[in-house]
């Protein structure tokens, strides 16, 4: 069951925020199995225990807290990733129907970016926000300006405000405050209550219940909400999907530090089964030097193991018989770890392969093309990147393999890329990119893209596609309203098909570096079994992501 969730955020994190948090937990717990989560909280504070006492999902204190406030202040990017993992683990352990996420507490250490951090975490956790703003020393106009600024920050992060609580607001001031905030978003006022620990719980409950009708609050929480997909959330979802149906992935570059660090991370969390090619003793010794604890859970495959090598040689000779492959040639070929690892997939010992941290794309792809080959009915392999933007994920292709595809190949790349999108939970809307939008420009390059678009419509008539189209008209609804008026796909494209490798490779790198988008891939599309290539500059997190997505493809 997917838990409904709400994030309580406040620019002050004091002067009534606790009253709101406690009241919301009690209101939800009256009708649903409700849990509490604190993204960042000090181990010495006691308010979290008060909230857990009002909840009924059985989440323990250790499960209910993501990171310490200092970590949240000093390493926001790393903290956000750990918070997503801790939250999802808490949900998995307790299966709540609702989760109340209460943002960071007031601190003597001023962090100017604290509210933006809470907004970002709310988006990471796919949670809409209940905003708590204090009325002390603020006129109704000041309260409205504060709410507007906070709501803008929340929207910029990719989520939205479902309701506003104006705290420490006495009844004589309530009417003016509500008038200033009148609009589509529900507003409630709550008087001041001294509530820092359990001693203030009764007074807080009475004040909240007297001023916030439970039915209104629950109705606000049921409002429609399009959950964002942030890079942190998407990366964690990869791990969750991979773990749900474990597959075995082979890693031919087993003596590379980044590879074994990534392997250790995945093995520690039981996300995939791994075969690491290389000397078991040497790899484990290096893992010990690096402080890795879980490498021993992997299977290790030496390349001179005759019990594996002999049937591998025979199979390779069979598959390459038309090319005149001899046993001697096969044994020489299998001294290449990429080829050896690929043959482990062919023999059914592994479900997929990840390589490329020290090998070129050609060295990774060539063995797959020769012995795994393409899926039935497909003629080529293409490379797509999953581009994780602030609040959504898109697919860019082909950015890795095909230099100058013709119209038929470009159409096949588009259909493959749509299938990749679906595999990762994206409802594909395809844009066939060019320097022309729906006939605005002319030339042979435009003709090619328009011919490819026609083939996509013929081969996959159910697939939403627009082409030819310029990137801005594909991306922006505002631009599309001018350049592609009346087209339902323009402005909403999430699968971007570039006309050639030059444009695709430049395009994804330009977007990645200039926008800060996370690029995961390339995902090699069209193969019978999943084989994926790493950049030689890949970080450990990139390798973790690629292994997880390879396991998902294998499912």
């Amino acid at each position: 069951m997917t838990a409904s969730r709400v994030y309580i955020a406040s620019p002050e994190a004091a002067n009534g925020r606790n009253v709101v948090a406690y009241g919301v937990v009690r209101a939800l717990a009256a009708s649903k199995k409700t849990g509490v989560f604190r993204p960042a909280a000090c181990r010495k504070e006691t308010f979290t225990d008060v909230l857990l006492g009002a909840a009924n999902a059985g989440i323990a204190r250790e499960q209910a807290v993501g990171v310490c406030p200092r970590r949240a202040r000093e390493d926001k990017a790393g903290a956000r990733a750990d918070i997503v993992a801790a939250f999802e683990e808490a949900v998995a352990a307790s299966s709540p129907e609702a989760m109340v996420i209460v943002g960071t507490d007031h601190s003597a250490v001023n962090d100017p970016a604290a509210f933006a951090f809470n907004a970002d975490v709310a988006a990471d956790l796919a949670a809409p926000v209940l905003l708590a703003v204090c009325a002390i020393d603020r006129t109704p106009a000041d309260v409205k300006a504060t709410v507007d600024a906070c709501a803008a920050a929340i929207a910029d992060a990719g989520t939205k405000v479902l309701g506003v609580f104006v705290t420490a607001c006495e009844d004589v001031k309530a009417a003016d405050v509500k008038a200033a905030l009148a609009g589509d978003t529900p507003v409630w006022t709550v008087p001041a209550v001294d509530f820092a620990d359990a001693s203030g719980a009764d007074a807080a409950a009475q004040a909240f219940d007297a001023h916030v009708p439970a039915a209104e609050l629950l109705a606000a929480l049921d409002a429609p909400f399009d959950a964002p997909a942030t890079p942190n959330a998407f990366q964690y979802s990869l791990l969750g999907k991979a773990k749900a149906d474990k597959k075995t992935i082979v890693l031919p570059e087993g003596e590379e530090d980044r590879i074994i660090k990534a392997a250790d991370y995945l093995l520690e969390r039981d996300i995939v089964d791994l075969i690491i090619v290389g000397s078991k003793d040497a790899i484990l010794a290096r893992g010990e030097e690096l402080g890795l604890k879980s490498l021993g859970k992997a299977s290790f495959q030496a390349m001179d193991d005759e019990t594996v090598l002999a049937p591998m040689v025979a199979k390779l000779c069979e598959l390459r018989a038309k090319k005149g492959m001899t046993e001697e040639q096969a044994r020489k070929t299998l001294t290449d770890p990429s080829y050896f690892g690929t043959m482990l997939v062919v023999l059914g010992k592994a479900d997929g392969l990840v390589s490329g941290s020290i090998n070129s794309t050609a060295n990774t792809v060539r063995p797959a093309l020769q012995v795994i080959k393409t899926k039935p009915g497909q003629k080529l392999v293409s490379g797509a990147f999953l581009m994780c933007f602030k609040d959504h994920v898109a697919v860019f292709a082909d950015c890795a393999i095909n230099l100058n595809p013709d119209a038929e190949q470009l159409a096949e790349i588009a259909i493959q890329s749509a299938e990749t999108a679906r595999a990762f939970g994206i409802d594909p809307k395809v844009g066939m990119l060019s320097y022309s939008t729906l006939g605005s420009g002319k030339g042979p390059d435009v003709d090619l893209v328009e011919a490819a678009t026609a083939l996509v419509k013929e081969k996959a008539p159910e697939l939403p596609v627009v082409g030819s189209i310029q990137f801005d008209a594909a991306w922006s609804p505002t631009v599309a309203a001018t350049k592609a008026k009346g087209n339902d796909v323009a402005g909403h494209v999430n699968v971007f098909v570039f006309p050639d490798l030059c444009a695709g490779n430049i395009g994804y790198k330009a977007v990645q570096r200039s926008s800060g988008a996370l690029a995961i891939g390339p995902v090699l599309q069209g193969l019978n079994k999943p084989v994926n290539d790493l950049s030689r500059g890949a970080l450990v997190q990139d390798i973790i992501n690629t292994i997880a997505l390879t396991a998902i493809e294998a499912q």
Side-chain angles (χ1 to χ4, degrees):
M1 179 183 297
T2 301
S4 59
R5 49 191 73 174
V6 65
Y7 197 105
I8 298 173
S10 168
E12 294 91 6
N15 298 328
R17 192 284 311 266
N18 288 1
V19 176
V20 172
Y22 187 62
V24 172
V25 171
R26 289 175 59 254
L28 281 168
S31 59
K32 296 182 177 181
K33 183 181 179 183
T34 300
V36 168
F37 185 76
R38 304 295 313 280
C42 178
R43 59 184 177 82
K44 294 181 180 179
E45 61 85 33
T46 60
F47 180 61
T48 299
D49 301 296
V50 177
L51 293 175
L52 291 169
N56 57 4
I59 296 177
R61 166 81 192 213
E62 313 82 68
Q63 297 171 312
V65 176
V67 299
C68 72
R70 181 173 179 176
R71 173 86 191 286
R73 186 171 64 249
E74 296 179 354
D75 178 20
K76 287 181 169 56
R80 284 173 61 184
D82 287 346
I83 287 166
V84 172
F87 176 80
E88 295 298 344
E89 287 168 11
V91 169
S94 57
S95 299
E97 296 172 295
M99 285 292 287
V100 180
I101 307 153
V102 182
T104 53
D105 294 323
H106 179 71
S107 172
V109 179
N110 181 48
D111 179 3
F115 187 79
F117 174 76
N118 279 281
D120 287 336
V121 173
D124 287 339
L125 302 183
V129 174
L130 289 174
L131 181 61
V133 171
C134 179
I136 295 175
D137 294 331
R138 286 184 174 128
T139 65
D142 293 335
V143 172
K144 175 173 171 44
T146 302
V147 168
D148 289 346
C150 290
I154 289 165
D156 184 62
T159 182
K160 66 181 288 188
V161 175
L162 292 185
V164 176
F165 291 90
V166 182
T167 63
C169 182
E170 301 311 319
D171 290 348
V172 294
K173 192 176 180 180
D176 291 340
V177 167
K178 287 183 176 180
L181 294 173
D184 296 333
T185 304
V187 177
W188 303 279
T189 60
V190 181
V193 177
D194 186 11
F195 183 24
D197 54 37
S199 64
D202 288 344
Q206 290 174 13
F208 188 91
D209 293 348
H211 291 80
V212 183
E216 285 185 16
L217 173 61
L218 295 177
L221 295 179
D222 282 337
F225 174 62
D226 293 328
T230 69
N232 284 313
F234 186 73
Q235 288 180 87
Y236 190 84
S237 76
L238 289 179
L239 302 183
K241 289 175 182 176
K243 187 173 183 176
D245 181 12
K246 283 175 64 180
K247 297 297 179 183
T248 299
I249 306 301
V250 60
L251 306 176
E253 301 164 324
E255 296 183 13
E256 215 287 327
D257 283 357
R258 291 167 295 160
I259 292 290
I260 61 174
K261 286 178 181 178
D264 185 79
Y265 179 96
L266 293 162
L267 292 165
E268 180 184 354
R269 291 157 179 80
D270 200 32
I271 290 167
V272 292
D273 293 324
L274 294 175
I275 298 174
I276 303 178
V277 175
S279 166
K280 178 177 180 178
D281 291 343
I283 293 169
L284 290 178
R286 181 56 181 158
E288 190 171 343
E289 291 174 1
L290 294 171
L292 307 178
K293 304 297 185 185
S294 299
L295 275 181
K297 296 179 181 180
S299 297
F300 295 86
Q301 182 57 63
M303 292 178 63
D304 59 359
D305 180 354
E306 194 62 29
T307 62
V308 172
L309 193 55
M312 194 178 282
V313 168
K315 186 65 175 178
L316 183 54
C317 288
E318 174 193 330
L319 292 172
R320 302 288 289 166
K322 291 182 179 179
K323 298 294 182 180
M325 177 72 74
T326 65
E327 181 176 334
E328 182 182 356
Q329 290 171 329
R331 284 186 176 273
K332 183 178 180 180
T333 299
L334 291 169
T335 60
D336 177 345
S338 292
Y339 227 119
F340 185 91
T342 303
M343 287 302 297
L344 289 175
V345 178
V346 171
L347 293 176
K349 295 182 179 295
D351 301 300
L353 175 144
V354 172
S355 186
S357 67
I358 55 177
N359 283 287
S360 68
T361 294
N363 283 348
T364 299
V365 175
R366 188 184 303 111
L369 288 173
Q370 290 180 354
V371 296
I372 291 178
K373 301 184 179 178
T374 56
K375 294 176 181 177
Q378 300 199 15
K379 299 177 182 177
L380 57 75
V381 172
S382 61
F385 279 86
L386 299 169
M387 302 295 291
C388 303
F389 296 95
K390 178 180 282 190
D391 59 359
H392 73 285
V393 180
V395 177
F396 282 23
D398 176 1
C399 305
I401 305 293
N402 298 282
L403 289 172
N404 293 293
D406 59 26
E408 186 173 351
Q409 291 170 326
L410 202 57
E412 187 167 341
I413 290 166
I415 294 169
Q416 288 178 344
S417 302
E419 291 173 355
T420 294
R422 290 191 190 97
F424 294 98
I426 303 165
D427 185 20
K429 296 178 178 62
V430 179
M432 308 294 285
L433 299 179
S434 176
Y435 59 78
S436 167
T437 294
L438 300 179
S440 65
K442 303 297 181 184
D445 292 339
V446 175
D447 294 342
L448 184 147
V449 172
E450 291 182 346
T453 304
L455 286 171
V456 173
K457 292 178 178 179
E458 177 186 323
K459 294 179 178 182
E462 78 294 344
L463 181 63
V465 60
V466 59
S468 61
I469 190 167
Q470 292 162 288
F471 189 94
D472 57 351
W475 176 272
S476 167
T478 303
V479 176
T482 300
K483 289 188 173 183
K485 190 173 183 179
N487 189 286
D488 293 337
V489 181
H492 304 285
V493 167
N494 53 21
V495 177
F496 296 84
V497 180
F498 291 82
D500 56 51
L501 182 57
C502 188
N505 195 269
I506 292 170
Y508 103 80
K509 289 181 185 292
V511 170
Q512 176 192 24
R513 298 301 177 184
S514 62
S515 74
L518 173 70
I520 300 177
V523 181
L524 298 186
Q525 307 174 138
L527 286 168
N528 252 327
K529 295 280 188 178
V531 171
N532 283 315
D533 179 42
L534 298 165
S535 164
R536 278 168 284 179
L539 303 176
V540 172
Q541 186 62 56
D542 299 328
I543 298 169
I544 291 168
N545 292 339
T546 302
I547 295 171
L549 71 85
T550 305
I552 294 167
E553 286 183 282
Q555 294 169 357

